[in-house]
Amino acid sequence: MESTVVETGGHGALDFESAADRVDVTRPHPARRYDYWLGGSANFEADRRSADAVAAAFPSIHFAVLENRRFLRRAVEYLTATAGIRQFLDIGTGLPTAGNVHELAQRIAPESRVVYVDNDPIVLYHARELLDSTPGGATAYIDGDLREPAAILNHPALTGTLDLDQPVALMLCAVVHFLTDEMYPYDVIHTLRDALPSGSYITLTHATSDHLSIEDLDAAVEANQRSGVPFQLRSTAEFRRFFDGFDLVPPGVTSVIDWRATEWRPHPRREAVSMLGGMGQLR
């Protein structure tokens, strides 16, 4: 199959240059806040204030975002090298950084096809870096929102890049905790699940309340309210519900630092990271 690069947004071709004009620099956005914690420069004062408000209550947030990236690398390597997956749907992509999904997957299987989804115009502005596919593979970008799963699934960038009759790896790393209960997060994930064929995979990471005392949890809730970004911590039991209909891949739901870790290195305590990870295969 020849290499293809799809550049399409909600209303036709992606307009990379005008994307910057749509950015509201007065309101924080999770993708730019994450970029700030990773040491990037594609963020604004509102993002930094929001990030600092969270860090004040959870000073080890930088460890959490780094461990999340390491988890993502191991997950994509497992999906590509061990599970034989060649199609990926990455929702909540974030700003391009070292080790994007298509880079990781196509390093092992150059024919891999990846669709990215994010709702931040700044991510769209930088999305050309996500469309640098290897010959034989494909990448596409959708200017879309996790809260509207049907729009993502029916988007021509997805249907033109992925074959939904063949297994797909749905990647939802550090994004579902931005869906509060009022946004019906389980319904959102189940809508995506129901569109995938048997043998597909889901990969999730999510900030957890497991290690917090009542006092620390109250402080975290207050910090999230001050940050201006909707956010909800969940317990292991609540997180596990997102895998309904999937068989968990060993070792199941764990801290992201423990999930199929192979390299030896000093790492922070699970309590310092407070991020759960898991992968499941659709029955």
Side-chain angles (χ1 to χ4, degrees), residues 235-237 239-240 243 248-255 259 276-279:
S235 67
T236 294
F239 178 63
R240 198 182 297 273
F243 293 94
L248 286 169
V249 173
V253 169
T254 70
S255 169
W259 194 88
L276 297 171
M279 179 187 293

Side-chain angles (χ1 to χ4, degrees), residues 30-43 51 61-70 72 93-100 174:
R32 302 194 301 266
R33 196 170 67 175
Y34 196 88
D35 174 72
Y36 172 64
W37 283 324
L38 285 173
S41 59
N43 50 77
I61 185 66
H62 300 86
F63 289 126
V65 297
L66 289 171
E67 292 300 326
N68 185 72
R69 293 298 300 183
R70 291 187 174 111
L72 173 67
T93 300
L95 284 147
T97 186
N100 298 301

Side-chain angles (χ1 to χ4, degrees), residues 1-244:
M1 182 180 294
E2 295 183 357
S3 172
T4 59
V5 173
V6 181
E7 300 180 2
T8 179
H11 304 285
L14 292 174
D15 188 348
F16 295 99
E17 302 306 329
S18 69
D21 297 334
R22 293 165 37 209
V23 176
D24 183 353
V25 301
T26 67
R27 299 182 62 183
H29 190 281
R32 302 194 301 266
R33 196 170 67 175
Y34 196 88
D35 174 72
Y36 172 64
W37 283 324
L38 285 173
S41 59
N43 50 77
F44 303 99
E45 181 61 28
D47 306 307
R48 295 187 285 272
R49 285 198 305 267
S50 174
D52 289 342
V54 174
F58 189 57
S60 57
I61 185 66
H62 300 86
F63 289 126
V65 297
L66 289 171
E67 292 300 326
N68 185 72
R69 293 298 300 183
R70 291 187 174 111
F71 170 94
L72 173 67
R73 174 179 57 79
R74 297 194 301 272
V76 174
E77 288 174 351
Y78 173 86
L79 288 162
T80 311
T82 302
I85 292 294
R86 298 294 182 264
Q87 302 189 110
F88 295 81
L89 174 57
D90 182 9
I91 304 179
T93 300
L95 284 147
T97 186
N100 298 301
V101 169
H102 76 284
E103 295 170 328
L104 296 166
Q106 291 178 350
R107 189 177 302 152
I108 298 170
E111 70 274 23
S112 297
R113 308 173 73 80
V114 181
V115 173
Y116 293 106
V117 182
D118 207 289
N119 66 354
D120 184 359
I122 280 288
V123 179
L124 169 58
Y125 181 75
H126 292 276
R128 285 193 185 94
E129 298 171 48
L130 299 173
L131 298 175
D132 183 21
S133 177
T134 58
T139 58
Y141 183 89
I142 297 174
D143 184 13
D145 196 308
L146 175 59
R147 293 169 294 185
E148 300 175 349
I152 294 171
L153 293 167
N154 293 316
H155 200 287
L158 187 146
T159 57
T161 307
L162 304 182
D163 179 358
L164 293 184
D165 290 327
Q166 298 298 319
V168 175
L170 172 61
M171 312 297 293
L172 295 161
C173 292
V175 62
V176 179
H177 45 225
F178 296 113
L179 299 183
T180 61
D181 286 344
E182 293 78 12
M183 301 175 188
Y184 303 102
Y186 298 105
D187 291 345
V188 168
I189 303 310
H190 294 164
T191 297
L192 293 166
R193 176 200 65 193
D194 292 346
L196 302 178
S198 176
S200 293
Y201 286 80
I202 187 172
T203 302
L204 286 136
T205 65
H206 196 297
T208 183
S209 57
D210 281 3
H211 308 297
L212 299 178
S213 66
I214 294 177
E215 293 77 11
D216 289 340
L217 181 57
D218 289 342
V221 170
E222 181 183 356
N224 287 326
Q225 290 173 342
R226 287 189 286 109
S227 76
V229 175
F231 190 90
Q232 185 163 338
L233 298 166
R234 291 186 171 94
S235 67
T236 294
E238 291 171 318
F239 178 63
R240 198 182 297 273
R241 285 182 57 197
F242 290 115
F243 293 94
D244 287 352

